[in-house]
Structure formats: structure tokens, C-alpha cells
Amino acid sequence: MLQKLTNALGTNVTIPTTEKQCVTEKANVSEQVIGKYASLYHYIRIQTDETLTLSLEQIEAILGFKLPASALKYRAWWSNDLTHSQAKAWLYADRVVDTVSLPSIIFRKNDKW
């Protein structure tokens, strides 16, 4: 149904429907998709613990630049929403933001992707 909707809207999106397609989609995640948050994606992706706690300072060190003021001020910046480029970094790495307790963020494994 979602595929029919995207076709009707004239978008060029393919929705993965099999496990193999999902694995292929995850393997094709590139810096073009994640943008300037790619280093965070790569860091999070190799972590093996069920939860990962990072301070804002650690995240900035991983990224190599300061987070925007909104990340320091608004919890919504950390929402698990693929329309936000920063969220792609953790969502494509099979994590979700579980807890925002500034100045720390807790990411939890999410194997549902």
C-alpha cells in the first residue's frame, strides 16, 4: 500500500519488502544519505552493547563540529524521525534514541528495521 501511495505521488521511492531488500538498503547507506552526521552513524553502527550512552561533548567529538543550539535546547531535535538528517545517523545504525537526559543521550538497539 505504501508503495502504491509513493507511486501515486510521483516519487521514486522503493519500499523494501523482504529481509534481503532491507539488508541491501542498510548496506547502501552512504554519506549522501546521512550527510554531515555520517561519522556518528559509523561510530554508533560498530557499538555492540544494547544501550549506548553518549554525552553531547562526546557526540561533538565524534562529529568534529559543534551541535546546533537546538540540539542542546530541544529534546525534539533527538526524535526518531527519518525526515531529520541527524536521526538517520542512529536509525540507519539500528538504534533509536531511548532517553534524552541532557547533557546525555541514550541510544538503544532497534532490530525492527
Side-chain angles (χ1 to χ4, degrees), residues 26-98:
K26 286 166 49 176
N28 289 331
V29 171
S30 70
E31 292 187 22
Q32 289 180 350
V33 174
I34 301 172
K36 65 183 184 179
Y37 297 99
S39 57
L40 182 61
Y41 160 77
H42 291 293
Y43 179 85
I44 291 174
R45 187 175 56 87
I46 63 171
Q47 305 306 309
T48 58
D49 291 341
E50 182 68 27
T51 60
L52 171 66
T53 302
L54 294 173
S55 69
L56 296 177
E57 186 175 299
Q58 289 172 309
I59 293 170
E60 289 176 339
I62 293 164
L63 292 171
F65 59 85
K66 294 279 188 189
L67 289 167
S70 56
L72 311 176
K73 189 174 181 182
Y74 301 111
R75 292 176 192 269
W77 192 90
W78 298 98
S79 66
N80 298 307
D81 182 348
L82 280 172
T83 64
H84 298 235
S85 61
Q86 72 273 13
K88 291 176 184 177
W90 57 80
L91 293 172
Y92 287 164
D94 293 327
R95 299 281 180 155
V96 292
V97 169
D98 186 61

